[in-house]
Amino acid sequence: MPGPAELDAVRGFVERLPDASSDPMETLERLDELGSPGTVASTGGRYFGFVTGSSFPVATAASWLGSTWDQNAALGVMSPVASVLDAVVGAWLGDLLGLGGAQHTFVSGTSVANAVGLSAGRDRLLADSGWNSVEDGLFGAPELRVVVSDAAHASVTKALGFVGLGRRRATQVASDRQGRLDPSQLPIAGEPTLVVLQAGNVNSGSFDPFDEVADHFAGTPHWIHVDGAFGLWAAANPATANLTAGMERAHSWATDMHKWLNVPYDSAAAFVRDGEDLARTFMLGASYLGDSTRLEPMHRGPQMSQRARAIETWAVLRTLGREGVAALVEGSCRHARAIASALEGAGLTICNEVVLNQVLVADTDDAATEALIRNVASQGTVWAGGSTWRGRAVMRVSVSSYATTDEDAQAFVDAVVRARSDH
Ligand SMILES: *Cc1c(COP(=O)(O)O)cnc(C)c1O
């Protein structure tokens, strides 16, 4: 974490737009001098904040090469390499994540990937009700019920607002102590319903009961979207794949590569089971069609011009292979379990079942937990942030970096124990 002096340096950027041109080298030096000290060391193995992840060196290097190519990946004719990598990586991801056959689109993050899935589901369900929302919009459309868990990620709420379904309008279903949607609380099936489920609660790492929800709505008009920003990756590790059982019965899925796959930011994907549903919402007219034998990214998602986002993911998947991805996921889970059991042994409370890479830690009361978070941070060796879990202040420990070793996990435990004994 940058200290006061570094934060002061960053404020050096606040200046008038220069009138005159200057030396590009001087500009780069200034970026490094003022900017580098103002960064957070989230690329190392000792950052456990949010669900952040790092970047594999091969991904960073691929990103640099991709930047120098400066390809516009909108259409195959604009960048053959981007179009081919998009198709290859989309298929690899579908295979790894158990979504074989689904159609994909690369977007900036899971917030947008959630919006892609919700938009495709909205337009499909309304089309089945005889309403063309793509052409005619939502004013005057038939009712569409939206069901979310009360433990859904904030980005889902946000996306519901900007795809016209309303932040407040959705039916909220209660979740259990682990943050899993409680299927006994679902509204009666029958009317057209868009359901949002979660693979990997951002605090506890828990998974919604996909099979039970799919069974509940079976035979009625519905669309299930899964927010799996990091949790979808459980499917790529045989030891955690059971958590995702039934997930393949959904209609759309969202995941980040910039979190657990450890590629640089601005890298996520949305998947839709039926390509027709992606095309209904995102395909533009014939004048823009390009060459139909090639994958055309701009007809599969919200953007036209876009960077070739598949590049870094290709580099990591090509390097790690299926086994390496499984080991990445399992390694994080193993460190999370080790941290949880050591902290429990030290007298702290672990507030969640550690099923994945997330650990929620509480001290005797909220004030003690908040002090603990501050005292760990002030040592400057490791970092984890705070969150609220079922009304209680917690320290949220997320193991999402490939760089975290056994020593790093132990360093975290040591920092927590020291933080408690010092105060
Ligand atoms: C991080 C996260 C999101 C949002 O993803 P962005 O890539 O930050 O847009 C959505 N859902 C869950 C569960 C997340 O962890």
Side-chain angles (χ1 to χ4, degrees), residues 190-201:
E191 61 187 274
T193 305
L194 181 53
V195 190
V196 187
L197 298 181
Q198 174 160 262
N201 177 285

Side-chain angles (χ1 to χ4, degrees), residues 11 89 92 98 122 171 196 228 232 260-261 264 271 283 300 328 351 359 368:
R11 278 191 278 276
V89 176
W92 283 1
R122 171 199 64 196
T171 304
V196 187
L232 217 57
W260 216 350
L261 194 65
F271 298 86
M283 176 92 86
R300 306 164 68 93
L328 170 70
C351 303
V359 185

Side-chain angles (χ1 to χ4, degrees), residues 51 109-112 114 153 155 198 200 202 227 229-230 256 258-259:
V51 184
T110 291
S111 299
V112 175
N114 281 336
H153 193 266
S155 65
Q198 174 160 262
V202 73
D227 171 3
F230 62 99
D256 275 325
H258 60 211
K259 286 180 177 169

Side-chain angles (χ1 to χ4, degrees), residues 173-176 180-187 208-214 216-217:
V173 176
S175 56
D176 69 12
R180 294 175 295 228
L181 178 144
D182 177 355
S184 73
Q185 303 296 308
L186 286 168
D208 284 337
F210 305 111
D211 266 321
E212 282 160 276
V213 176
H216 180 85
F217 289 103

Side-chain angles (χ1 to χ4, degrees), residues 18 45 51 130 140 144 147 150 174 176 194 219 239 242 248 258 342 348 384 411 413:
V51 184
L144 182 56
V147 171
D150 66 4
D176 69 12
L194 181 53
N242 61 316
E248 70 288 350
H258 60 211
L348 288 152
V413 171

Side-chain angles (χ1 to χ4, degrees), residues 383-398:
W383 199 85
S387 187
T388 305
W389 182 243
R390 306 196 85 74
R392 187 174 187 186
V394 292
M395 176 165 69
R396 176 175 56 192
V397 186
S398 175

Side-chain angles (χ1 to χ4, degrees), residues 104-364:
H104 68 280
T105 183
F106 290 111
V107 293
S108 54
T110 291
S111 299
V112 175
N114 281 336
V116 165
L118 295 175
S119 306
R122 171 199 64 196
D123 294 339
R124 166 63 186 270
L125 289 172
L126 289 172
D128 288 348
S129 301
W131 182 268
N132 186 339
S133 49
V134 179
E135 297 297 336
D136 299 326
L138 294 177
F139 298 102
E143 276 291 306
L144 182 56
R145 182 168 63 185
V146 178
V147 171
V148 297
S149 144
D150 66 4
H153 193 266
S155 65
V156 169
T157 311
K158 186 177 181 177
L160 285 172
F162 73 80
V163 306
L165 296 171
R167 292 187 182 192
R168 190 168 57 192
R169 183 176 162 278
T171 304
Q172 273 208 1
V173 176
S175 56
D176 69 12
R177 291 165 53 82
Q178 299 301 323
R180 294 175 295 228
L181 178 144
D182 177 355
S184 73
Q185 303 296 308
L186 286 168
I188 294 166
E191 61 187 274
T193 305
L194 181 53
V195 190
V196 187
L197 298 181
Q198 174 160 262
N201 177 285
V202 73
N203 288 309
S204 70
S206 70
F207 289 67
D208 284 337
F210 305 111
D211 266 321
E212 282 160 276
V213 176
D215 287 345
H216 180 85
F217 289 103
T220 68
H222 73 284
W223 178 285
I224 298 176
H225 172 77
V226 177
D227 171 3
F230 62 99
L232 217 57
W233 292 89
N237 170 26
T240 49
N242 61 316
L243 294 167
T244 65
M247 190 180 75
E248 70 288 350
R249 294 169 69 185
H251 304 79
S252 58
W253 303 265
T255 198
D256 275 325
M257 283 76 82
H258 60 211
K259 286 180 177 169
W260 216 350
L261 194 65
N262 283 250
V263 307
Y265 282 94
D266 194 61
S267 192
F271 298 86
V272 170
R273 190 199 287 172
D274 186 342
E276 295 239 331
D277 293 327
L278 206 53
R280 178 185 300 104
T281 301
F282 295 109
M283 176 92 86
L284 270 172
S287 62
Y288 265 117
L289 255 181
D291 175 352
S292 61
T293 60
R294 274 200 283 234
L295 182 147
E296 306 288 25
M298 67 166 264
H299 290 296
R300 306 164 68 93
Q303 286 186 264
M304 285 198 175
S305 298
Q306 53 194 284
R307 70 182 195 91
R309 290 199 173 92
I311 289 175
E312 301 88 7
T313 298
W314 173 82
V316 170
L317 295 182
R318 172 89 182 30
T319 311
L320 293 187
R322 200 183 295 277
E323 290 167 10
V325 176
L328 170 70
V329 171
E330 185 52 25
S332 299
C333 296
R334 188 167 54 76
H335 295 313
R337 290 191 298 267
I339 288 170
S341 79
L343 293 183
E344 193 160 41
L348 288 152
T349 304
I350 304 303
C351 303
N352 63 320
E353 285 171 21
V354 181
V355 295
L356 205 64
N357 62 329
Q358 305 287 112
V359 185
L360 303 177
V361 186
D363 208 326
T364 44

